[in-house]
């Protein structure tokens, strides 16, 4: 099983590929996410600020109600 850092790096690299044409910088996954999000205004986004966010509160795409209908 992949470590938490490896999973973050994979997700960050995929997000980078979806949002940039240039190759990603050689940094950790957390640093890459910081670079991607640096210009986004997420301060007002409640989920980012919430101390109550837990994995059980996050729905993955395969868990979305519209995905279950199929």
């Amino acid at each position: 099983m992949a470590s938490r850092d490896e999973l973050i790096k994979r997700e960050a690299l995929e997000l980078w590929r979806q949002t940039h044409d240039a190759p990603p910088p050689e940094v950790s996954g957390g640093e890459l996410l910081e670079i991607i999000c640096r210009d986004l205004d997420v301060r007002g986004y409640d989920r980012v600020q919430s101390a109550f966010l837990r994995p059980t509160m996050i729905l993955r795409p395969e868990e979305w109600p519209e995905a279950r209908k199929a």
Side-chain angles (χ1 to χ4, degrees):
M1 182 172 179
S3 74
R4 179 180 184 274
D5 290 336
E6 291 169 339
L7 293 171
I8 291 170
K9 177 76 175 208
R10 269 192 242 156
E11 290 295 324
L13 286 171
E14 184 57 32
L15 181 58
W16 181 273
R17 284 188 208 94
Q18 295 295 321
T19 58
H20 295 78
D21 293 326
E26 292 293 325
V27 295
S28 72
E31 292 169 316
L32 187 55
L33 286 175
E34 285 181 28
I35 292 168
I36 293 168
C37 297
R38 157 176 49 209
D39 297 326
L40 300 176
D41 183 14
V42 295
R43 289 169 289 164
Y45 184 50
D46 184 53
R47 301 282 291 207
V48 173
Q49 299 299 321
S50 176
F52 302 103
L53 181 61
R54 300 287 182 263
T56 56
M57 299 170 67
I58 301 170
L59 287 178
R60 306 278 181 227
E62 61 272 8
E63 298 168 335
W64 293 347
E66 55 270 25
R68 283 188 245 155
K69 292 178 186 173

